[in-house]
Amino acid sequence: MASTQERQADLGWSLGALLRGYLKLSAEALGDLPGGARGFQVLSIAASNSCGNQAQIAESTGLDRTVLTYLIDDLEKAGLVVRTPDPNDRRSRRVTLTDAGTERLTQLTSRMNQVEDRLLSRLPRDDADSLRAAIVRAAHSLDDDPEGVCETVDQVTAEVTSA
């Protein structure tokens, strides 16, 4: 077993600890949202229009397309999103927020901001802001390697579920 000092120096352990805390707090904040944190990601992506169709959303989130289809089905049943034909490709569907979805996303975004603040509350504000910025940069740097991102997501998910 690693000593406390070794664990503090271990990026993997630290990221895992933060992720576990984030997942626990976000599950509480997201309540009965279909798909929990994944559902929140889909709502956020649909609101930003950064990924118009389901295939792009699957690639962006690292979710299997079949899993994503079921998740969007649940969000649609809850009245939060609708699927419409993509004007650029009749074979694909765009995912857009309903008015209720927009309202719910606003509420959930506020809660998730509180989750982040609580998770990083023991850090000085400047350190918390720097950490957020560094994590965002690191995540975006992986965009050049989508397969690596999916592998990383799978590894972290496996670590979290086994913990």
Side-chain angles (χ1 to χ4, degrees), residues 42-82:
V42 171
L43 293 180
S44 298
I45 289 169
S48 72
N49 294 316
S50 61
C51 296
N53 64 44
Q54 288 182 218
Q56 292 170 333
I57 294 172
E59 184 176 324
S60 173
T61 59
L63 292 175
D64 177 82
R65 288 182 185 191
T66 303
V67 171
L68 180 66
T69 298
Y70 288 120
L71 175 55
I72 293 172
D73 286 346
D74 292 343
L75 293 169
E76 196 168 36
K77 286 176 192 167
L80 303 174
V81 300
V82 293

Coordinates of all heavy atoms in Angstrom, one line a residue, residues 42-82:
V42 N -25.1 15.8 -21.9 CA -25.9 15.8 -23.2 C -26.7 17.1 -23.3 O -26.7 17.8 -24.3 CB -26.8 14.6 -23.3 CG1 -27.7 14.7 -24.5 CG2 -25.9 13.3 -23.5
L43 N -27.3 17.5 -22.1 CA -28.1 18.8 -22.1 C -27.2 19.9 -22.4 O -27.5 20.8 -23.2 CB -28.8 18.9 -20.8 CG -29.9 18.0 -20.4 CD1 -30.5 18.3 -19.0 CD2 -31.0 18.0 -21.5
S44 N -26.0 19.9 -21.8 CA -25.0 21.0 -22.0 C -24.6 21.1 -23.5 O -24.5 22.2 -24.0 CB -23.8 20.9 -21.1 OG -24.2 20.9 -19.7
I45 N -24.3 20.0 -24.0 CA -23.9 19.9 -25.4 C -25.0 20.4 -26.4 O -24.8 21.2 -27.3 CB -23.4 18.5 -25.8 CG1 -22.0 18.2 -25.1 CG2 -23.2 18.4 -27.3 CD1 -21.6 16.8 -25.2
A46 N -26.2 19.9 -26.1 CA -27.3 20.3 -26.9 C -27.5 21.9 -26.8 O -27.9 22.5 -27.8 CB -28.6 19.6 -26.5
A47 N -27.4 22.4 -25.7 CA -27.5 23.9 -25.5 C -26.5 24.7 -26.2 O -26.7 25.7 -26.7 CB -27.5 24.2 -24.0
S48 N -25.3 24.1 -26.3 CA -24.1 24.9 -26.9 C -24.1 24.7 -28.4 O -23.4 25.5 -29.0 CB -22.8 24.3 -26.3 OG -22.5 23.1 -26.8
N49 N -24.9 23.8 -28.9 CA -24.9 23.5 -30.4 C -23.5 23.2 -30.9 O -23.2 23.3 -32.1 CB -25.4 24.7 -31.2 CG -26.9 24.9 -30.9 OD1 -27.7 24.0 -30.8 ND2 -27.2 26.2 -30.7
S50 N -22.6 22.7 -30.0 CA -21.2 22.3 -30.4 C -21.2 21.0 -31.1 O -20.3 20.7 -31.9 CB -20.3 22.4 -29.2 OG -20.7 21.4 -28.3
C51 N -22.1 20.1 -30.8 CA -22.2 18.8 -31.5 C -23.7 18.7 -31.9 O -24.6 18.4 -31.0 CB -21.9 17.7 -30.5 SG -20.2 17.7 -30.0
G52 N -24.0 18.8 -33.1 CA -25.4 18.8 -33.6 C -26.1 17.5 -33.5 O -27.2 17.4 -33.1
N53 N -25.4 16.4 -34.0 CA -26.1 15.2 -34.1 C -25.6 14.2 -33.1 O -24.6 14.4 -32.4 CB -26.1 14.6 -35.5 CG -24.7 14.3 -36.0 OD1 -23.9 13.7 -35.2 ND2 -24.3 14.7 -37.2
Q54 N -26.3 13.1 -33.0 CA -26.0 12.1 -32.0 C -24.6 11.5 -32.1 O -24.0 11.2 -31.1 CB -27.1 10.9 -32.0 CG -28.4 11.4 -31.5 CD -29.4 10.2 -31.5 OE1 -30.6 10.5 -31.8 NE2 -29.1 9.0 -31.2
A55 N -24.2 11.3 -33.4 CA -22.8 10.7 -33.6 C -21.8 11.6 -33.0 O -20.8 11.2 -32.4 CB -22.6 10.4 -35.1
Q56 N -22.0 12.9 -33.2 CA -21.0 13.9 -32.7 C -21.0 14.0 -31.2 O -20.0 14.1 -30.5 CB -21.3 15.3 -33.3 CG -21.0 15.4 -34.8 CD -21.5 16.7 -35.4 OE1 -22.4 17.3 -34.9 NE2 -20.9 17.1 -36.5
I57 N -22.2 13.9 -30.6 CA -22.4 13.9 -29.2 C -21.7 12.6 -28.6 O -21.0 12.7 -27.6 CB -23.8 13.9 -28.7 CG1 -24.4 15.3 -29.1 CG2 -24.0 13.7 -27.2 CD1 -25.9 15.4 -28.9
A58 N -21.9 11.5 -29.2 CA -21.2 10.2 -28.8 C -19.7 10.4 -28.8 O -19.0 10.0 -27.8 CB -21.7 9.1 -29.6
E59 N -19.2 10.9 -29.9 CA -17.7 11.1 -30.0 C -17.2 12.1 -28.9 O -16.2 11.9 -28.3 CB -17.4 11.6 -31.4 CG -15.9 11.7 -31.6 CD -15.5 12.1 -33.0 OE1 -16.2 11.7 -33.9 OE2 -14.6 12.9 -33.1
S60 N -18.0 13.2 -28.7 CA -17.5 14.2 -27.8 C -17.5 13.7 -26.3 O -16.7 14.0 -25.5 CB -18.5 15.4 -27.9 OG -18.2 16.4 -26.9
T61 N -18.5 12.9 -26.0 CA -18.6 12.4 -24.6 C -17.9 11.1 -24.3 O -17.7 10.7 -23.2 CB -20.1 12.2 -24.2 OG1 -20.7 11.2 -25.1 CG2 -20.9 13.5 -24.3
G62 N -17.5 10.4 -25.4 CA -16.9 9.1 -25.3 C -17.9 8.0 -25.0 O -17.5 6.9 -24.6
L63 N -19.2 8.3 -25.2 CA -20.2 7.3 -24.9 C -20.4 6.4 -26.1 O -20.4 6.9 -27.3 CB -21.6 7.9 -24.6 CG -21.6 8.7 -23.2 CD1 -23.0 9.4 -23.1 CD2 -21.4 7.7 -22.1
D64 N -20.7 5.1 -25.9 CA -21.1 4.3 -27.0 C -22.4 4.8 -27.6 O -23.3 5.3 -26.9 CB -21.3 2.9 -26.4 CG -21.8 1.9 -27.5 OD1 -21.0 1.3 -28.2 OD2 -23.0 1.7 -27.5
R65 N -22.5 4.7 -28.9 CA -23.7 5.3 -29.6 C -25.0 4.6 -29.1 O -26.0 5.3 -29.0 CB -23.6 5.1 -31.1 CG -22.6 6.0 -31.7 CD -22.5 5.9 -33.2 NE -21.5 6.7 -33.8 CZ -21.3 6.9 -35.0 NH1 -22.2 6.4 -35.9 NH2 -20.3 7.7 -35.5
T66 N -25.0 3.3 -28.8 CA -26.2 2.7 -28.4 C -26.6 3.2 -27.0 O -27.7 3.4 -26.7 CB -26.0 1.1 -28.3 OG1 -25.6 0.7 -29.6 CG2 -27.2 0.4 -27.9
V67 N -25.6 3.3 -26.1 CA -25.8 3.8 -24.8 C -26.4 5.2 -24.9 O -27.4 5.6 -24.2 CB -24.5 3.8 -23.9 CG1 -24.7 4.6 -22.6 CG2 -24.1 2.4 -23.7
L68 N -25.8 6.1 -25.8 CA -26.3 7.4 -25.9 C -27.7 7.5 -26.5 O -28.5 8.3 -26.0 CB -25.3 8.2 -26.9 CG -25.8 9.6 -27.2 CD1 -25.7 10.5 -25.9 CD2 -24.9 10.2 -28.3
T69 N -28.0 6.6 -27.4 CA -29.4 6.5 -27.9 C -30.4 6.3 -26.8 O -31.4 7.0 -26.7 CB -29.5 5.4 -29.0 OG1 -28.7 5.7 -30.1 CG2 -31.0 5.3 -29.5
Y70 N -30.1 5.3 -25.9 CA -31.0 5.1 -24.8 C -31.1 6.3 -23.8 O -32.2 6.6 -23.3 CB -30.6 3.8 -24.0 CG -30.9 2.6 -24.7 CD1 -29.9 1.7 -25.1 CD2 -32.2 2.2 -25.1 CE1 -30.1 0.5 -25.7 CE2 -32.4 1.0 -25.8 CZ -31.4 0.2 -26.1 OH -31.7 -1.0 -26.8
L71 N -30.0 6.9 -23.6 CA -29.9 8.1 -22.7 C -30.8 9.2 -23.3 O -31.6 9.9 -22.7 CB -28.5 8.6 -22.5 CG -28.3 9.9 -21.8 CD1 -29.0 9.9 -20.4 CD2 -26.8 10.2 -21.6
I72 N -30.6 9.5 -24.6 CA -31.4 10.5 -25.3 C -32.9 10.1 -25.3 O -33.8 11.0 -25.1 CB -30.9 10.8 -26.7 CG1 -29.5 11.4 -26.6 CG2 -31.9 11.7 -27.5 CD1 -28.8 11.6 -27.9
D73 N -33.2 8.8 -25.4 CA -34.6 8.4 -25.3 C -35.2 8.8 -24.0 O -36.3 9.3 -23.9 CB -34.7 6.9 -25.4 CG -34.5 6.3 -26.8 OD1 -34.5 7.1 -27.8 OD2 -34.3 5.1 -27.0
D74 N -34.4 8.6 -22.9 CA -34.9 8.9 -21.6 C -35.0 10.4 -21.4 O -36.0 10.9 -20.8 CB -33.9 8.4 -20.5 CG -34.0 6.9 -20.4 OD1 -34.9 6.2 -20.9 OD2 -33.0 6.3 -19.9
L75 N -34.1 11.2 -21.9 CA -34.2 12.7 -21.8 C -35.4 13.2 -22.6 O -36.1 14.1 -22.3 CB -32.9 13.3 -22.3 CG -31.7 13.1 -21.4 CD1 -30.4 13.5 -22.2 CD2 -31.8 13.8 -20.1
E76 N -35.7 12.5 -23.8 CA -36.8 12.9 -24.6 C -38.1 12.6 -23.9 O -39.0 13.4 -23.9 CB -36.7 12.2 -25.9 CG -37.6 12.8 -27.0 CD -37.3 12.2 -28.4 OE1 -36.9 11.0 -28.5 OE2 -37.4 13.0 -29.3
K77 N -38.2 11.4 -23.3 CA -39.4 11.0 -22.5 C -39.6 12.0 -21.3 O -40.8 12.2 -21.0 CB -39.3 9.6 -21.9 CG -39.4 8.5 -23.0 CD -39.2 7.2 -22.4 CE -39.0 6.1 -23.5 NZ -38.5 4.8 -23.0
A78 N -38.6 12.5 -20.8 CA -38.7 13.5 -19.7 C -39.1 14.9 -20.2 O -39.2 15.8 -19.4 CB -37.4 13.6 -18.9
G79 N -39.1 15.0 -21.5 CA -39.5 16.3 -22.1 C -38.4 17.4 -22.1 O -38.7 18.6 -22.3
L80 N -37.2 16.9 -22.0 CA -36.0 17.8 -22.0 C -35.3 18.1 -23.3 O -34.7 19.1 -23.5 CB -35.0 17.3 -20.9 CG -35.6 17.1 -19.5 CD1 -34.5 16.5 -18.6 CD2 -36.0 18.4 -18.9
V81 N -35.4 17.1 -24.2 CA -34.8 17.3 -25.5 C -35.8 16.7 -26.6 O -36.7 16.0 -26.3 CB -33.5 16.5 -25.7 CG1 -32.5 17.0 -24.7 CG2 -33.6 15.0 -25.6
V82 N -35.5 17.1 -27.8 CA -36.2 16.6 -29.0 C -35.2 16.2 -30.0 O -34.1 16.9 -30.1 CB -37.3 17.5 -29.6 CG1 -38.5 17.7 -28.6 CG2 -36.7 18.8 -30.0

